[in-house]
Amino acid sequence: MKILVGVKRVVDYAVKIRVKPDRSGVVTEGVQHSMNPFDEIALEEAVKLKEKKLATEVVAFSLGGPKSAEVLRTALAKGADKAIHVQVSDDEAGKLESFHVAKTLQKIVEQEKFDAVFLGKQAIDDDSSQTAPILAGLLDWPQALYASKVEEGGSGHMKVTREIDGGLDTIKVKVPFVLSADLRLNEPRYATLPNIMKAKKKPLKNIPIKDLGVDITPQTETVEVTEPPVRKAGGFVEDVSALVAKLKEKGFVKA
């Protein structure tokens, strides 16, 4: 099984997000970036399947500006065998949508003949959670979304456990398929120094977006980005009677 893993360069999860003065977006210049955490989990699962001899090759993919090569090198250091960087300008990268990413992935899958695509369930910058289901639709492949456990299913199938509101849902999907990784699927490994050095020699293929013939014209327009309102400070009461009196005063409890 040949697995393609999507990895996205996003503002690091530990960075406090700041809105631009003109409210056109968030500040990204001079801000620490890293691989999307859910994509790290998807990558780890693909590498684990290769270690179990259930996968033959793991290829990392990223659609983005020049600096996206950084997360691809990280992916190579974490166990990916190769990397594919579909290049766009920084300006275009800021306007990419889930549909554009899915269309690009579709082209790569069809050209390179992959058997599975692993993605994080969502990116922490736009939280769309749409790329995996859109891609499954474009490829007409079965999908296993929000995976918390992946096992061999036998006879060309994989068994995937998903966390749902009512508990756990276990499904069997036929290969080829699209998977999106949930938080509790695994704990990603750290890239060791020797593997970081080895990653520099692993192949990283650069493909300009125009070579794939994918139209990345934005379908939506960001009208305004604003910070959430500041939460008002709470208060303290001495006892239950004082609490009830306060609730009555606010109109939350009828007398």
Side-chain angles (χ1 to χ4, degrees):
M1 185 167 63
K2 187 177 175 183
I3 304 175
L4 180 65
V5 183
V7 295
K8 184 179 183 181
R9 181 177 182 267
V10 298
V11 174
D12 191 86
Y13 68 91
V15 172
K16 179 176 173 56
I17 301 297
R18 293 179 292 121
V19 175
K20 292 180 180 178
D22 62 2
R23 296 186 176 182
S24 62
V26 299
V27 176
T28 57
E29 296 78 11
V31 173
Q32 176 67 34
H33 283 66
S34 61
M35 188 188 301
N36 179 51
F38 290 105
D39 296 344
E40 282 191 281
I41 295 170
L43 174 64
E44 175 66 20
E45 196 62 26
V47 173
K48 280 186 172 181
L49 289 177
K50 186 189 171 189
E51 291 172 344
K52 295 175 183 176
K53 309 299 183 185
L54 296 176
T56 56
E57 187 177 49
V58 176
V59 180
F61 158 93
S62 191
L63 169 62
K67 292 183 178 179
S68 291
E70 298 170 4
V71 296
L72 287 172
R73 286 296 177 193
T74 300
L76 292 170
K78 285 175 176 279
D81 301 296
K82 301 177 183 176
I84 298 173
H85 181 194
V86 178
Q87 300 169 316
V88 296
S89 67
D90 285 330
D91 183 58
E92 290 171 327
K95 298 174 183 177
L96 290 172
E97 300 168 10
S98 299
F99 181 71
H100 302 141
V101 181
K103 285 292 289 183
T104 306
L105 280 164
Q106 178 192 14
K107 293 285 186 181
I108 297 296
V109 168
E110 291 173 348
Q111 287 183 6
E112 304 283 342
K113 308 300 181 185
F114 286 94
D115 303 300
V117 180
F118 284 18
L119 304 167
K121 72 168 184 175
Q122 66 194 79
I124 62 171
D125 52 1
D126 56 21
D127 282 327
S128 294
S129 193
Q130 295 178 348
T131 304
I134 292 174
L135 177 61
L138 291 172
L139 292 171
D140 196 22
W141 284 6
Q143 59 184 357
L145 307 182
Y146 315 120
S148 61
K149 188 175 182 181
V150 180
E151 304 169 278
E152 186 178 13
S155 302
H157 290 74
M158 295 298 289
K159 188 165 72 171
V160 179
T161 301
R162 313 178 323 114
E163 292 187 358
I164 59 175
D165 291 342
L168 298 176
D169 175 35
T170 301
I171 61 174
K172 226 177 179 183
V173 289
K174 188 176 181 180
V175 179
F177 70 108
V178 176
L179 176 141
S180 72
D182 207 344
L183 183 65
R184 279 168 286 279
L185 179 57
N186 59 54
E187 186 172 335
R189 68 193 68 190
Y190 288 100
T192 62
L193 184 57
N195 286 337
I196 292 173
M197 299 307 293
K198 290 177 184 177
K200 294 180 180 180
K201 296 181 180 179
K202 290 183 178 180
L204 195 163
K205 185 177 181 181
N206 295 307
I207 305 174
I209 188 70
K210 60 181 177 60
D211 289 1
L212 297 176
V214 177
D215 182 7
I216 56 171
T217 303
Q219 298 180 323
T220 59
E221 179 187 355
T222 300
V223 178
E224 185 181 56
V225 177
T226 57
E227 293 185 11
V230 178
R231 293 182 62 179
K232 295 181 180 179
F236 293 91
V237 291
E238 295 295 329
D239 49 35
V240 174
S241 298
L243 173 60
V244 173
K246 202 72 174 176
L247 292 173
K248 287 181 179 178
E249 180 187 322
K250 297 290 184 181
F252 296 127
V253 175
K254 292 184 179 179

